Amino acid sequence: MTSLDDLPLRDDLRGRKPYGAPQLDVPYALNTNENPYPPSEALVKALGEAVMDVAGTLNRYPDRDAVALREDLAAFLNADTPGIGLTAGQVWAANGSNEILQQILLAFGGAGRTALGFEPSYSMHPIITGVSGTRWIDAFRDDDFGIEPARAIEAVEEHRPDVVFLTSPNNPTGTALPLEAIEAVLEAAPGMVVVDEAYGEFRRRETPSALTLLDGNPRLIVTRTMSKAFAMAGTRLGYLAADPAVLDALLLVRLPYHLSAVTQAVARTALAHGEELLGGVGALRRERDGLVAWLRAEGFRVADSDANFVLFGTFPDRRKVWEDLLGRGVLIREVGPPEWLRVTIGTPEEMAAFRTALLQSRGGTTPHTPRTDFAGNSKESL
């Protein structure tokens, strides 16, 4: 039987492993940061009607530039972050934010070029970077998973990357960046600066969006997705906001007719029902903040989160904890820095199951005793 080693694969791809979170049939799946609230019956009906409307035209190619969808996305971003005044000419869409990132690297990365990120962060950043033939540079995050502006400037000035990735809120830590850190990187970076805001709608009210920095910064790109807050992970719709010149660059590398008519119709319908779909965001924020407080009260170390997940620890053997919770029907994510685990915020029922499973597994999985948590509060030994 032929194996991968027998094929003339690119040398730089040999030894790599494909990205993917475990897909297991469990009662409580809290590992992929999905929104747990499905569309209502009324929205399901509207989605079905939208697909039926385009079904009779599927013998034709879709709108190549998805103009109507981009107009709707610009309107949403303008409402989400008042005062930015975006137009469709500043918004681009693709099949999930991963395709957006791939297009950015195809346009601004490539052979002989570099991309720099601050890990731990979204694992697809270095993966897509490598697949595009771009060299990845890890500048590392601070001990509290933040990025200190002076150190970020030092890393950028040392490596002079063609693309810099900043993730806010960060995955898997949930950490958000202050605008000062983003502005510092923008000023120092010679190339493009990509701020990945896949979880932007979950940020706390006092946490600003990098969208406010777009005006006057033509090398800034802010990426978003409809997979998380919009509860449309199955739609696969990612998008970005940037200077119109950036879109001109992406047109050089995008595949023709990359967004199907069905995808465009479903995404536009979801945006039209945005009030309903985003209606659960507030509840998820409250559930998140409650979980952070509970975990800290139980003696765990917890990273502050502006996302719909929480990173907690620390465990001398996190695989043992992960397996024990899985055995109790709760699937979370073994990802990020060693000794830490990540749990997605779900419904109250799902979070109650997680709490119960974690307490039941506590016998052999007592967390390390931290000196302080990320809120600066002292913790005593368990």
Side-chain angles (χ1 to χ4, degrees):
M1 182 176 178
T2 302
S3 71
L4 186 59
D5 292 336
D6 299 319
L7 299 177
L9 187 68
R10 280 168 37 190
D11 289 339
D12 62 313
L13 294 181
R14 293 193 182 279
R16 292 179 179 267
K17 294 182 179 179
Y19 172 87
Q23 291 184 305
L24 304 174
D25 185 12
V26 295
Y28 306 101
L30 300 171
N31 68 323
T32 53
N33 301 337
E34 297 158 322
N35 188 319
Y37 298 108
S40 66
E41 290 186 11
L43 179 50
V44 169
K45 180 180 179 181
L47 290 167
E49 291 174 349
V51 173
M52 287 184 64
D53 286 343
V54 301
T57 67
L58 292 181
N59 59 312
R60 302 295 185 184
Y61 286 115
D63 176 2
R64 184 177 55 217
D65 296 327
V67 174
L69 171 59
R70 289 161 53 205
E71 290 174 346
D72 291 349
L73 288 167
F76 164 71
L77 290 176
N78 288 333
D80 180 65
T81 308
I84 57 175
L86 293 176
T87 67
Q90 296 169 276
V91 177
W92 186 244
N95 292 285
S97 60
N98 288 327
E99 187 176 43
I100 289 287
L101 298 174
Q102 183 183 58
Q103 290 178 351
I104 291 170
L105 284 160
L106 288 175
F108 300 106
R113 295 195 169 198
T114 58
L116 180 146
F118 298 84
E119 296 185 278
S121 192
Y122 183 36
S123 58
M124 281 303 297
H125 290 163
I127 291 174
I128 299 176
T129 295
V131 170
S132 72
T134 312
R135 183 168 67 90
W136 175 258
I137 300 170
D138 181 9
F140 303 103
R141 285 179 173 257
D142 300 332
D143 290 340
D144 64 353
F145 305 134
I147 300 176
E148 204 279 321
R151 197 176 67 79
I153 291 173
E154 183 180 345
V156 170
E157 290 180 343
E158 176 186 355
H159 298 287
R160 309 294 293 171
D162 299 281
V163 180
V164 176
F165 284 106
L166 300 173
T167 314
S168 182
N170 185 47
N171 178 16
T173 66
T175 318
L177 291 175
L179 289 185
E180 293 76 15
I182 299 173
E183 289 175 311
V185 171
L186 264 173
E187 185 174 348
M192 306 303 296
V193 176
V194 181
V195 181
D196 188 334
E197 289 191 348
Y199 301 92
E201 291 86 358
F202 294 105
R203 66 189 189 278
R204 287 171 286 187
R205 297 190 184 280
E206 65 272 18
T207 302
S209 167
L211 291 168
T212 59
L213 301 177
L214 282 173
D215 188 27
N217 286 304
R219 290 181 293 103
L220 174 63
I221 301 173
V222 181
T223 66
R224 290 280 186 99
T225 181
M226 293 186 71
S227 295
K228 308 302 181 182
F230 268 95
M232 285 281 125
T235 304
R236 307 306 300 128
L237 197 290
Y239 57 104
L240 63 77
D243 189 271
V246 172
L247 274 66
D248 291 339
L250 299 184
L251 288 173
L252 301 175
V253 300
R254 63 93 185 265
L255 294 174
Y257 310 106
H258 67 294
L259 274 180
S260 76
V262 172
T263 298
Q264 293 183 45
V266 169
R268 293 194 67 201
T269 304
L271 286 163
H273 291 77
E275 184 175 355
E276 173 192 329
L277 287 169
L278 296 173
V281 169
L284 291 171
R285 285 196 195 110
R286 291 188 293 273
E287 194 72 49
R288 171 199 66 201
D289 295 341
L291 179 64
V292 168
W294 180 84
L295 286 167
R296 285 175 174 164
E298 290 294 327
F300 293 93
R301 196 177 182 194
V302 187
D304 288 332
S305 177
D306 275 270
N308 68 330
F309 55 82
V310 172
L311 188 77
F312 69 103
T314 56
F315 305 98
D317 186 355
R318 71 173 179 179
R319 166 53 61 128
K320 180 180 179 182
V321 182
W322 182 85
E323 291 177 342
D324 192 80
L325 291 179
L326 181 60
R328 301 174 192 276
V330 178
L331 175 63
I332 62 174
R333 192 76 185 271
E334 184 183 16
V335 69
E339 302 187 347
W340 294 77
L341 292 166
R342 191 193 73 192
V343 58
T344 301
I345 302 302
T347 64
E349 176 190 1
E350 289 171 329
M351 300 320 295
F354 165 73
R355 289 182 173 91
T356 298
L358 186 61
L359 290 178
Q360 289 175 343
S361 71
R362 163 84 46 108
T365 62
T366 302
H368 289 176
T369 305
R371 287 174 291 181
T372 59
D373 62 26
F374 288 133
N377 303 313
S378 298
K379 295 294 178 185
E380 297 180 356
S381 176
L382 295 178

